[in-house]
Amino acid sequence: YVVKGILWCGDVTVDRLKWGNEFLSKRIKSGSTSEISPEALRRMKRVKKLTKMSEKVATGILSGVVKVSGFFTGSIVNSKVGKKFFNLMPGEIVLASLDGFNKVCDAVEVAGRNVMSTTSVVTTGLVSQRYGEKAGKVTNEGLDAAGHAIGTAWAVFKIRKALNPKSVFKPTTLAKAAAQANAAELKYKNNK
């Protein structure tokens, strides 16, 4: 339900942006064509290229980190301590909560990308209508660069979550679980 709500909020926001675009398009009159220096456009394209590259690098690192952390998580879960931990509480609950958190993060990412894309299209159209095609092109390049920067920041956030063992299992929790399980086993053996 949380994921559906996030996606619904994103869709509502996109619809309102489109409605706002139609409303403002009727109200805004065409203005004089602004002169944009070719250097400004080149710089903006360079920034866009840099942010796009940084997003690709961060996404590539994220996929590698997810594979490696999945390997270590699997090792922890299959270890003696991990098995004792899962005996204390249903493992399905832990895995479902981790999966749920990932689904919420993915929903936020999808909704955010849809809203950012629509915002870019709407803003570029309005700027082009008011100030001319060159200004619209610079606006588009700038918003694309901002979108790539946000994508990079989101990937870095996900990398930090993947690298942080607290986001999967707290080592102290595993140690306590193992100690409690060992104590219970010793108590059971001593009572025999």
Side-chain angles (χ1 to χ4, degrees):
Y1 289 112
V2 172
V3 170
K4 283 182 182 178
I6 291 169
L7 294 174
W8 177 79
C9 286
D11 290 344
V12 168
T13 304
V14 166
D15 288 342
R16 298 313 297 171
L17 283 168
K18 288 179 181 176
W19 176 86
N21 182 36
E22 291 172 13
F23 178 79
L24 289 174
S25 293
K26 294 174 186 174
R27 302 258 176 180
I28 292 178
K29 296 179 182 175
S30 296
S32 62
T33 303
S34 298
E35 284 298 317
I36 305 295
S37 74
E39 287 180 27
L41 186 58
R42 254 185 272 133
R43 286 186 194 123
M44 195 58 70
K45 284 183 178 182
R46 197 175 308 138
V47 168
K48 177 185 170 185
K49 187 177 178 181
L50 179 69
T51 56
K52 188 175 184 177
M53 219 180 303
S54 66
E55 183 180 21
K56 282 184 178 179
V57 168
T59 305
I61 291 171
L62 175 63
S63 68
V65 165
V66 166
K67 287 178 185 173
V68 170
S69 68
F71 171 75
F72 285 115
T73 303
S75 300
I76 290 172
V77 168
N78 292 325
S79 70
K80 218 176 198 181
V81 175
K83 287 178 183 175
K84 289 181 181 182
F85 173 73
F86 278 113
N87 286 338
L88 293 177
M89 78 187 238
E92 293 85 12
I93 293 173
V94 175
L95 296 177
S97 63
L98 291 172
D99 187 49
F101 177 76
N102 288 335
K103 285 183 180 180
V104 168
C105 283
D106 291 344
V108 168
E109 184 176 10
V110 167
R113 285 192 186 275
N114 287 343
V115 169
M116 188 66 184
S117 173
T118 305
T119 302
S120 178
V121 168
V122 166
T123 305
T124 300
L126 292 174
V127 168
S128 293
Q129 180 179 340
R130 177 75 172 121
Y131 298 105
E133 287 298 317
K134 288 183 180 179
K137 192 168 187 172
V138 169
T139 302
N140 186 26
E141 296 292 329
L143 289 172
D144 283 351
H148 291 306
I150 291 170
T152 302
W154 187 253
V156 168
F157 166 76
K158 288 168 85 174
I159 289 169
R160 288 182 61 204
K161 283 290 180 193
L163 285 175
N164 185 2
K166 290 180 187 171
S167 68
V168 182
F169 298 109
K170 290 184 181 177
T172 55
T173 305
L174 285 174
K176 285 179 187 175
Q180 288 173 349
N182 286 337
E185 266 184 56
L186 286 172
K187 200 182 239 186
Y188 178 73
K189 287 178 183 176
N190 288 337
N191 287 339
K192 278 187 166 183

